[in-house]
């Protein structure tokens, strides 16, 4: 995982109050699922063929209604800096920070 993923996750984490973090963690997880289910949308946001303003409008239309004031600027920053393709890693880093703060350990169950 790249250092910049940790840096972006830490930046968002530091902007949020403790009570806000679970909502953002859930939203980021949901967005990650959106990207996994629609990889063409992630490719579109990563594309150099579409201008930043158009991508920003799409993000506002789709994720603006979530009502999380720092989410949209964060996503737009990832798009503007061409880091949106690393969203999964950034979301994973953010989840790790939240888990660490709440003393939660995630495990993998094999059957």
């Amino acid at each position: 995982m790249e250092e910049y993923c940790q840096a972006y996750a830490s930046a968002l984490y530091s902007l949020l109050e403790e009570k806000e973090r679970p909502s953002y963690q859930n939203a980021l997880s949901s967005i990650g699922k959106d990207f996994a289910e629609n990889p063409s949308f992630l490719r579109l946001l990563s594309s150099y063929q579409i201008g930043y303003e158009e991508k920003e409008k799409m993000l506002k239309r789709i994720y603006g209604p979530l009502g999380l004031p720092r989410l949209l600027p964060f996503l737009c920053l990832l798009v503007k800096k061409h880091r949106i393709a690393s969203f999964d890693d950034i979301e994973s880093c953010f989840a790790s920070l939240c888990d660490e703060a709440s003393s939660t350990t995630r495990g993998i169950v094999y059957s």
Side-chain angles (χ1 to χ4, degrees), residues 42-83:
L42 184 58
R43 282 193 304 274
L44 179 74
L45 292 174
S46 301
S47 172
Y48 286 89
Q49 295 176 344
I50 297 173
Y52 170 72
E53 293 78 19
E54 186 64 29
K55 294 174 189 176
E56 184 179 34
K57 287 178 190 175
M58 282 188 275
L59 289 171
K60 282 181 183 177
R61 208 170 37 241
I62 296 168
Y63 299 114
L66 293 177
L68 299 172
R70 290 183 177 84
L71 181 64
L72 194 57
F74 180 70
L75 294 173
C76 289
L77 178 67
L78 294 179
V79 168
K80 189 173 191 174
K81 297 295 183 179
H82 304 286
R83 300 295 194 193

Side-chain angles (χ1 to χ4, degrees), residues 59-108:
L59 289 171
K60 282 181 183 177
R61 208 170 37 241
I62 296 168
Y63 299 114
L66 293 177
L68 299 172
R70 290 183 177 84
L71 181 64
L72 194 57
F74 180 70
L75 294 173
C76 289
L77 178 67
L78 294 179
V79 168
K80 189 173 191 174
K81 297 295 183 179
H82 304 286
R83 300 295 194 193
I84 196 73
S86 299
F87 184 85
D88 281 345
D89 291 336
I90 295 168
E91 187 268 327
S92 178
C93 288
F94 185 84
S96 293
L97 290 169
C98 290
D99 290 345
E100 186 177 313
S102 64
S103 300
T104 301
T105 303
R106 293 185 186 254
I108 299 173

